[in-house]
Amino acid sequence: MLSNDLTAMLQIDYPIIQAPMAGGITTPELVSCVSEHGALGSIGAGYMTPQSLRQHIKDVQKRTSNPFSVNVFVPNTFNVSEEEVEASVNQLRPIRKALGVEGGNPSLPTPASMKRNFEEQINVILEEKVPICSFTFGFPPEEVVAELKKENVILMGTATTVNEAILLESKGMDMIIIQGSEAGGHRGHFLAERDQSLIGLMSLIPQVSDHVTVPVIAAGGIMDARGLVAARYLGASAVQMGTAFLTCAESGAHPTYKEAILNANEDDIVLTQAFSGKWARGIKNTFIDDMKGYTSVPPFPVQNTLTSAIRKASADQYNPAYMSLWTGQNPRLATDLSAATFIQHLVQEVKVITR
Ligand SMILES: Cc1cc2nc3c(=O)[nH]c(=O)nc-3n(C[C@H](O)[C@H](O)[C@H](O)COP(=O)(O)O)c2cc1C
């Protein structure tokens, strides 16, 4: 139950991966603590500049010599018109005013700037000899796969359907992370639309396991030993847990955010694209309600940039109403333990229920 080909490949004691969570959650303290305690810590580098990624990696390496991973966003092409941006800016204006957000609009990302950042992030991963690299929002270009493989970096891709998993294996991924519809944060789908890519983990694990030969990692709503054992029985080699680590002491999530999760129920959790232009799962709040009825938002990452100052002001004011509170569908099981104690309890509980 606790050791298999995947744990041997990743050189970890337990088939437990702390999900990469972009946006300041995966502090060096969290990542290194997880890796020091037999699981795999992951840096969510999606929004990082190459410089801050390098510093982050060095800070983790100072704290642990065990393996950890870095996760990057595969850049997507997107088109956005001035009218779309203006409509969103107008929509957001009253919220900015209410929160006292000053200043003009930030400079917006372009497909070219996203691609450049991604390529520089990959260079940092190679230069700093990161042993494991995971991707979401698609698959990396062939030359990136070749470069990373030349340096023996283990590659993981994120799939939300069987077809995505098959494609990721054919593109050279060594392991496939499957993201069930329960998962907190952004949906990783890239082949079909949202509604065709919202498969529950219980259906996704066995079907993907039957169709790929590489190890499968299950993500979405897994919070304790019951989820881990169930995922293993269904065919997953490991689990990737986001929300469960987000509320841990070492996570960089804002205290108001942690508190919102610790007080949330499963029916508070919804899908929205209002914050970033990409569908994501989190706790319903005033911002999501205010944006209802607004049929089109600029694509990711443009909308994400346009809402950035609002989310920051809301967090600075310890006000959860306008923060993005990404959470999976299992918040009642969240704890505020330290990551070390959380892993120890989890492993102990797995041993008890599989005895
Ligand atoms: C706050 C938050 C941020 C996330 N950021 C990323 C990310 O940067 N990259 C990624 O591959 N997955 C990201 N995810 C998704 C996780 O990898 C995983 O699919 C999800 O956390 C599993 O569901 P759970 O939260 O119920 O455990 C994020 C999830 C959360 C909750």
Side-chain angles (χ1 to χ4, degrees):
M1 182 57 63
L2 286 172
S3 56
N4 53 34
D5 289 354
L6 175 142
T7 54
M9 260 175 95
L10 298 179
Q11 296 180 33
I12 53 178
D13 296 335
Y14 311 123
I16 300 165
I17 299 172
Q18 163 253 308
M21 290 177 274
I25 297 164
T26 57
T27 57
E29 290 76 13
L30 177 65
V31 176
S32 58
C33 177
V34 169
S35 287
E36 274 293 283
H37 288 84
L40 185 74
S42 314
I43 299 175
Y47 302 121
M48 287 184 194
T49 61
Q51 296 74 19
S52 74
L53 173 58
R54 193 185 300 280
Q55 190 55 50
H56 228 80
I57 293 169
K58 285 186 187 298
D59 288 346
V60 171
Q61 285 167 337
K62 253 186 256 156
R63 292 171 165 84
T64 183
S65 53
N66 289 343
F68 63 94
S69 82
V70 170
N71 172 267
V72 288
F73 296 166
V74 175
N76 50 348
T77 51
F78 55 88
N79 285 314
V80 64
S81 66
E82 274 177 33
E83 291 73 32
E84 271 181 290
V85 172
E86 202 180 309
S88 179
V89 167
N90 289 338
Q91 170 85 2
L92 297 171
R93 188 167 292 120
I95 302 176
R96 288 172 68 102
K97 205 166 161 215
L99 288 168
V101 174
E102 309 273 340
N105 289 314
S107 70
L108 296 175
T110 62
S113 70
M114 297 300 291
K115 183 167 178 279
R116 198 166 47 246
N117 199 55
F118 171 79
E119 287 167 353
E120 290 175 12
Q121 287 176 332
I122 297 293
N123 285 339
V124 171
I125 289 167
L126 285 165
E127 285 161 12
E128 300 302 328
K129 304 202 178 314
V130 174
I132 302 152
C133 177
S134 75
F135 300 91
T136 188
F137 307 152
F139 52 86
E142 223 170 278
E143 59 278 11
V144 169
V145 172
E147 265 181 297
L148 290 165
K149 289 214 164 196
K150 209 169 85 196
E151 298 305 319
N152 298 315
V153 180
I154 297 174
L155 307 184
M156 300 172 173
T158 304
T160 64
T161 61
V162 174
N163 283 341
E164 287 178 352
I166 293 170
L167 184 61
L168 290 175
E169 182 175 26
S170 77
K171 297 289 178 188
M173 296 300 110
D174 301 306
M175 297 180 182
I176 312 288
I177 300 158
I178 50 175
Q179 189 188 41
S181 60
E182 305 89 337
H186 284 106
R187 304 293 310 148
H189 62 102
F190 58 94
L191 285 183
E193 294 300 317
R194 182 199 76 164
D195 287 353
Q196 286 74 52
S197 313
L198 278 170
I199 321 293
L201 204 51
M202 191 124 182
S203 303
L204 200 52
I205 301 172
Q207 296 188 86
V208 172
S209 303
D210 284 349
H211 284 87
V212 299
T213 59
V214 293
V216 164
I217 298 159
I222 300 173
M223 303 290 287
D224 65 10
R226 293 169 295 183
L228 188 156
V229 171
R232 293 280 287 117
Y233 275 127
L234 287 167
S237 297
V239 294
Q240 176 160 297
M241 305 165 83
T243 305
F245 281 105
L246 196 156
T247 50
C248 281
E250 298 83 353
S251 133
H254 192 283
T256 303
Y257 182 5
K258 291 184 180 179
E259 200 184 306
I261 296 179
L262 292 166
N263 291 317
N265 293 337
E266 67 292 347
D267 52 0
D268 299 324
I269 316 286
V270 296
L271 282 172
T272 181
Q273 55 179 352
F275 280 109
S276 69
K278 204 185 250 308
W279 289 102
R281 190 178 289 292
I283 301 173
K284 193 171 162 195
N285 61 3
T286 310
F287 182 81
I288 294 174
D289 275 343
D290 284 358
M291 296 295 279
K292 280 250 172 70
Y294 197 68
T295 47
S296 117
V297 290
F300 182 88
V302 174
Q303 178 74 353
N304 198 58
T305 304
L306 292 174
T307 63
S308 160
I310 288 173
R311 289 178 281 120
K312 184 177 178 311
S314 191
D316 288 348
Q317 295 166 25
Y318 288 75
N319 173 6
Y322 300 96
M323 295 166 68
S324 53
L325 305 168
W326 305 139
T327 307
Q329 282 183 317
N330 218 341
R332 292 191 204 233
L333 304 191
T335 70
D336 58 359
L337 299 172
S338 79
T341 310
F342 175 74
I343 293 168
Q344 281 154 5
H345 284 187
L346 177 57
V347 168
Q348 186 53 32
E349 198 59 23
V350 169
K351 288 179 181 162
V352 169
I353 63 178
T354 55
R355 197 175 276 155

